[in-house]
Amino acid sequence: MIQFLVASLLLSLLLTMVLNLLLRVPGVQQWLDARLDAVMAARPERNGPTRSDDGPRVRVFVPWKAMLIGSIVLTILVNAIGAIG
């Protein structure tokens, strides 16, 4: 069980780092944005507003570091309580 936990934590950290480093490569964000625009353009129109390129862009804040630290702490806490009880 401990080996699975260690492997799971290490793979989670590795995947998070790889994805974050990949987004820092020049051109990747623009490529992903173009692909997402193409996919969204192919979908049928919903009732929501459409995106206009002349308006302000909205930045979405995703606290991935806090979520990762919280996940590790909660995993260790749950496993420690399970081992004691």
Side-chain angles (χ1 to χ4, degrees), residues 2-80:
I2 295 294
Q3 290 176 344
F4 173 75
L5 179 63
V6 171
S8 175
L9 288 172
L10 289 177
L11 287 174
S12 177
L13 286 170
L14 180 67
L15 183 61
T16 300
M17 290 180 357
V18 166
L19 289 175
N20 278 288
L21 289 175
L22 182 66
L23 288 175
R24 295 185 189 275
V25 174
V28 171
Q29 287 182 337
Q30 290 80 11
W31 179 79
L32 287 174
D33 191 37
R35 294 288 298 158
L36 183 60
D37 284 343
V39 168
M40 293 304 290
R43 295 180 68 189
E45 186 62 35
R46 307 269 181 189
N47 291 336
T50 59
R51 177 180 166 202
S52 65
D53 289 333
D54 57 350
R57 296 187 66 120
V58 176
R59 294 193 53 123
V60 177
F61 175 71
V62 180
W64 64 269
K65 291 177 187 176
M67 291 189 307
L68 184 63
I69 291 170
S71 175
I72 292 170
V73 169
L74 287 174
T75 301
I76 291 171
L77 183 65
V78 167
N79 285 318

